[in-house]
Amino acid sequence: MILVTGATGTIGSHVVRLLTERGLPFRAMSRRERPGGVRADFGDPASLARAVADVDTVFLVTVPPVPTADHDLALVTAARAAGVRKIVKLSAIGSGERFDGATVGAWHLAAEEAIEAGGLAWTMLRPPSFASNLLWHRALIQAGEPIPNLVGDSRQAVVDPRDVAEVAVAAMTGDAHDGQRYDLTGPELLTFADQAAILEGVLERPVRIADAPALDGLPAGMVTGIGWARAGGAAYVTDHVPRVLGRPAGTFEQWARDHREAFAAVP
């Protein structure tokens, strides 16, 4: 039995789809009741204990409003108590790097270290920016308004979330990826302006960008990560997706073509 946390999110929803297509047993965890799922909250230890009961493997995704390792650590504690064998954690590229006197992805690093110290089998998935992040700006794009650029002229190997989910499923359903950290990048380095230009070509309508205002007001952990990316920390490509999946990583352009209709729909 696999427990999928974040089952309705960007990666979790694809993981659920893949497990369903393959006929594999899983339990989808979310904070709301859903058919065939389990309702649980990271702040409620009793609900987590119910969620991990009789589970062999956990796909761990937490997205708290403010970056914190607390949710991950709560799930790890419940998993160890229930005898869970493996955790596949969705982390983030650069976690553990030092930038401007702070640790990039410190909350992810703390959770990774707790998982390793807990005696479980594990795989850490560290993607950069998702291609699907552009969907956050559908309303602005439809209105012809500029979309905010947080990362300046820096480049990232933007990854298709479907690839991340497929690697996650491979890690959960076999032992070949135990003990591995994978930086799951796309096949090419792109600036935010490059992404906008590619999407503009696919949609056949203008996609404008504008420099985002100062990062004041964002949590310190997010500011550190954005600053690290702006300074070029994420400007590299790996072969981890093709190595695991046996095929090339998907391009941003292909993702955009596959989701063209999503930008036409009302968000």
Side-chain angles (χ1 to χ4, degrees):
M1 176 62 69
I2 294 170
L3 177 69
V4 181
T5 71
T8 60
T10 300
I11 305 301
S13 59
H14 287 298
V15 169
V16 165
R17 173 181 55 80
L18 290 169
L19 293 174
T20 300
E21 290 174 353
R22 300 177 188 187
L24 297 172
F26 71 92
R27 184 181 299 156
M29 174 179 145
S30 61
R31 285 177 294 179
R32 295 188 179 92
E33 296 285 355
R34 52 179 287 160
V38 57
R39 182 179 178 276
D41 190 290
F42 288 103
D44 180 356
S47 72
L48 292 181
R50 291 191 297 270
V52 296
D54 302 318
V55 164
D56 174 80
T57 300
V58 172
F59 180 55
L60 178 55
V61 184
T62 64
V63 190
V66 177
T68 172
D70 292 348
H71 288 182
D72 280 1
L73 298 179
L75 194 288
V76 172
T77 297
R80 290 183 61 195
V84 168
R85 185 180 63 85
K86 178 189 293 190
I87 292 180
V88 175
K89 172 174 164 53
L90 183 66
S91 187
I93 199 167
S95 293
E97 297 289 331
R98 296 289 294 176
F99 177 77
D100 199 22
T103 300
V104 176
W107 65 97
H108 283 308
L109 182 65
E112 289 187 12
E113 291 175 344
I115 292 168
E116 290 182 64
L120 299 92
W122 55 264
T123 308
M124 310 300 179
L125 309 182
R126 292 176 159 188
S129 180
F130 298 136
S132 56
N133 288 355
L134 269 293
L135 288 171
W136 297 345
H137 307 301
R138 281 185 293 171
L140 290 174
I141 292 169
Q142 290 165 355
E145 298 294 327
I147 57 179
N149 175 15
L150 292 174
V151 292
D153 294 328
S154 65
R155 300 186 300 163
Q156 290 192 51
V158 179
V159 68
D160 187 327
R162 296 172 296 187
D163 285 350
V164 178
E166 194 168 340
V167 171
V169 171
M172 289 189 290
T173 55
D175 298 331
H177 309 292
D178 289 1
Q180 298 296 315
R181 281 185 173 82
Y182 290 129
D183 286 2
L184 301 177
T185 73
E188 56 190 342
L189 292 172
L190 300 171
T191 64
F192 195 72
D194 291 333
Q195 294 176 63
I198 291 169
L199 186 59
E200 180 174 289
V202 170
L203 299 180
E204 299 179 327
R205 76 166 91 172
V207 178
R208 298 186 294 135
I209 66 173
D211 288 338
L215 303 179
D216 298 342
L218 291 178
M222 292 181 65
V223 173
T224 298
I226 292 171
W228 176 78
R230 281 181 168 179
Y236 61 93
V237 174
T238 75
D239 67 348
H240 296 176
V241 168
R243 190 196 309 171
V244 174
L245 302 183
R247 60 163 177 78
T251 65
F252 177 78
E253 181 175 1
Q254 186 59 58
W255 178 89
R257 293 190 182 282
D258 290 345
H259 293 80
R260 188 178 189 277
E261 294 305 315
F263 287 94
V266 176

